[in-house]
Amino acid sequence: MDDLHRLTISEAHQLLKGKKISSVELTRACLKRLAQAEKKVHACVTVCAETALKQAEEADKAVSGGKVQPLTGIPAIIKDNMCTRGIKTTCASRILENFVPPYNATVVEKLKDTGIVILGKANMDEFAMGSSTENSAFFPTRNPWDLDRVPGGSSGGSAVAVAADEAIYALGSDTGGSIRQPAGFCSVVGMKPTYGRVSRFGLVAFASSLDQIGPITKNVADCALVMNVISGHDPHDSTSVPDPVPDYIRSLVPDLKKLRIGIPREYFVEGMQPEVRVIMQTAIARLEELGAEVDWDVSLRHTKYALAAYYILAPSEASANLARYDGVKYGFSYQDTSSMWEAMEKTKQFGFGAEVKRRIMLGTYALSAGYYDAYYLKAQKVRTLIKQEFDRAFEKYDALVTPTSPTVPFKLGERVDDPVQMYLSDVCTLPINIAGIPGISIPAGFVDGLPVGMQILGKHFDEATLLRIAFAYEQATDWHKQKPPL
Ligand code: GLN
């Protein structure tokens, strides 16, 4: 069978279950596609062809033994900030360039239990700090829709691997938009679950109060299937909640009757690309046709403070989390000196890239005595206001809809010298992490062949409603079926 790499999870599962194809065949097809596409897109930092084929053989055995679950034998790519036992986990940083974890992240362990085939590890912005995957210490990843443009970030490698059909699905992580923004830029589906829905154990920490792991997939049903496996309580992560996890597949009903959707005007920001605005208006009108009651003019007036608050909170937490890379316990260690202090200093100097150092300095400054109250504490207060505002909005609306990004993917190099311009790529996504609510980005159209994503936001732990809206919209459109001209 040709083109097996193009299959979705559900399609591949049907074929595997019906013994029409084997996981080994599917894995070979993906590896072949990956080898071709990588020459152009550079989405992977590690490819594990040999172990992937072994896992595929195991999965085939499970299938013949009648033990086939929805993700059994399906090849995927994991962002390189999730620990994989025996496979390098670099965070796209020199400081972890040769780090091989002795354990699996809980999400990886859960996927292993269902028979995952791990094709490799995806490129990213170093320590997930960035919006374009240009901050990788190794190489930038390119957008398959236009190789001169960025794929978004920081989960750029994961989004590209799925968009370019290298992998059937991928995992990303999202601290301020890192799943949704690249999903939007690459025309795939990306979900940031509610804070606490998915275990963060084994995810290399960036900003612990904001980080979440989530799926990047070719369609909404696949997103639900991955969510079913990775969600739930984990005794290793005290921030994961013990509430029961619904079967997300059951939320996929293609009508939106009686659903109240609000459109917050602050997300249609100044400087937004006019074509993106038009695409959003058309997409929202589609939701109305599908039966949703749309309120076109909702106001969330604290939104304008979210970016500033995020760039205090995230670097503050990062500065504490990254203190562990001292060259003593693991990772890169500068040895060529007789003094311990100099060794630590040089380890960080040569081990971290410019953006990571910038965040550590920003965070250390914001947390230092005398500035703590003025910056960190104030940002925490703003955080509460933003969260309360969302809570109030969700008393009236079942969901809110916004663009995922104010523009289409920008050119490589265009924003690297201007951190503030780069930070602005996330204006629409980072308030969601600040409030801890779930968000999903789905394909909503194209401007001159470049993808535009629509973001849907919901109440804490109401991923089901997001998936329902996303599914209904997807059924009524065919953006998700279009493939990049690779
Ligand atoms: N682009 C944002 C940042 O650089 C968000 C990154 C993320 O979600 N990991 O902090």
Side-chain angles (χ1 to χ4, degrees):
M1 213 176 295
D2 277 347
D3 290 351
L4 291 185
H5 54 276
R6 282 180 170 247
L7 296 174
T8 62
I9 298 178
S10 345
E11 290 164 350
H13 172 68
Q14 285 311 324
L15 293 172
L16 282 166
K17 204 167 119 181
K19 309 224 166 67
K20 300 268 189 315
I21 60 168
S22 70
S23 173
V24 169
E25 283 171 303
L26 179 61
T27 303
R28 285 227 167 87
C30 287
L31 287 168
K32 185 170 159 211
R33 169 65 176 182
L34 188 147
Q36 290 161 349
E38 274 303 275
K39 291 184 196 134
K40 294 182 179 158
V41 295
H42 313 292
C44 301
V45 291
T46 304
V47 180
C48 344
E50 226 171 278
T51 48
L53 286 166
K54 280 210 189 84
Q55 288 166 339
E57 280 168 21
E58 288 300 311
D60 283 333
K61 275 188 215 144
V63 176
S64 10
K67 280 195 279 210
V68 51
Q69 298 169 58
L71 300 187
T72 307
I74 314 263
I77 280 192
I78 312 278
K79 187 176 182 180
D80 211 20
N81 59 351
M82 287 169 230
C83 286
T84 38
R85 185 171 51 228
I87 303 174
K88 273 202 275 185
T89 298
T90 69
C91 265
S93 180
R94 293 276 169 225
I95 216 154
L96 289 176
E97 196 169 0
N98 296 307
F99 174 60
V100 179
Y103 68 103
N104 281 324
T106 296
V107 286
V108 173
E109 202 58 34
K110 286 188 170 192
L111 289 168
K112 282 210 141 178
D113 287 345
T114 77
I116 190 185
V117 172
I118 300 179
L119 294 170
K121 302 295 293 283
N123 198 19
M124 53 185 280
D125 287 296
E126 185 177 5
F127 282 99
M129 297 173 189
S131 314
S132 68
T133 316
E134 290 165 293
N135 291 340
S136 164
F138 308 136
F139 43 78
T141 297
R142 289 169 184 269
N143 192 315
W145 293 93
D146 177 347
L147 297 172
D148 291 332
R149 291 180 189 262
V150 303
S154 62
S155 313
S158 301
V160 169
V162 175
D165 289 316
E166 294 181 355
I168 309 294
Y169 70 98
L171 288 188
S173 72
D174 191 313
T175 305
S178 277
I179 290 175
R180 291 158 288 152
Q181 187 252 21
F185 275 11
C186 295
S187 202
V188 290
V189 173
M191 171 174 263
K192 181 203 89 81
T194 311
Y195 186 79
R197 179 90 288 180
V198 177
S199 167
R200 292 179 297 113
F201 179 73
L203 169 69
V204 179
F206 162 12
S208 309
S209 78
L210 303 159
D211 300 339
Q212 266 292 286
I213 292 170
I216 298 184
T217 55
K218 298 181 188 180
N219 66 22
V220 176
D222 282 7
C223 179
L225 287 171
V226 181
M227 280 298 293
N228 275 354
V229 175
I230 63 173
S231 303
H233 181 243
D234 174 13
H236 295 304
D237 175 3
S238 58
T239 63
S240 70
V241 300
D243 301 2
V245 179
D247 176 0
Y248 291 114
I249 287 295
R250 300 184 61 176
S251 51
L252 307 181
V253 287
D255 96 76
L256 301 180
K257 283 201 188 65
K258 295 237 153 27
L259 225 54
R260 300 157 307 167
I261 295 180
I263 314 299
R265 73 170 93 103
E266 287 81 3
Y267 286 76
F268 291 75
V269 292
E270 219 179 286
M272 177 175 185
Q273 208 174 317
E275 296 91 339
V276 174
R277 183 185 296 270
V278 173
I279 285 186
M280 283 308 301
Q281 280 160 346
T282 316
I284 295 162
R286 217 20 172 328
L287 298 177
E288 233 168 9
E289 286 160 27
L290 289 164
E293 292 163 16
V294 176
D295 182 345
W296 287 81
D297 195 19
V298 177
S299 175
L300 298 176
R301 64 191 184 88
H302 290 110
T303 305
K304 60 175 178 290
Y305 304 114
L307 188 79
Y310 174 88
Y311 277 100
I312 299 286
L313 297 171
S316 295
E317 294 184 28
S319 73
N321 275 327
L322 271 57
R324 71 190 66 168
Y325 304 101
D326 52 11
V328 178
K329 297 190 245 355
Y330 45 73
F332 168 73
S333 181
Y334 187 88
Q335 295 290 338
D336 202 11
T337 163
S338 51
S339 127
M340 180 190 79
W341 295 114
E342 199 193 342
M344 279 194 187
E345 202 180 299
K346 290 272 165 49
T347 293
K348 290 173 195 241
Q349 181 182 341
F350 298 120
F352 289 138
E355 183 60 27
V356 176
K357 288 182 206 164
R358 187 178 295 130
R359 304 279 176 113
I360 293 173
M361 286 190 279
L362 277 171
T364 312
Y365 183 81
L367 290 177
S368 56
Y371 295 111
Y372 183 95
D373 287 4
Y375 294 109
Y376 184 74
L377 194 65
K378 197 181 242 171
Q380 287 287 34
K381 289 178 180 166
V382 171
R383 181 174 198 170
T384 303
L385 291 175
I386 291 171
K387 182 190 166 291
Q388 288 171 342
E389 195 166 66
F390 274 116
D391 289 346
R392 277 196 301 275
F394 289 123
E395 284 167 15
K396 264 179 94 179
Y397 308 103
D398 299 299
L400 301 168
V401 169
T402 80
T404 305
S405 308
T407 66
V408 295
F410 43 93
K411 289 243 163 79
L412 265 96
E414 198 176 285
R415 299 193 184 178
V416 274
D417 297 326
D418 188 345
V420 176
Q421 267 306 311
M422 189 67 93
Y423 297 169
L424 280 169
S425 334
D426 303 309
V427 271
C428 300
T429 46
L430 50 82
I432 285 64
N433 301 67
I434 290 185
I437 59 176
I440 189 171
S441 175
I442 56 169
F446 294 87
V447 177
D448 298 331
L450 297 171
V452 174
M454 166 159 72
Q455 180 178 234
I456 310 167
L457 311 172
K459 299 179 188 127
H460 288 98
F461 299 103
D462 192 16
E463 284 82 2
T465 298
L466 305 191
L467 289 164
R468 174 176 164 197
I469 299 170
F471 181 74
Y473 180 78
E474 190 184 78
Q475 294 296 300
T477 54
D478 62 5
W479 310 119
H480 64 291
K481 292 195 186 130
Q482 306 206 18
K483 294 286 180 186
L486 260 187

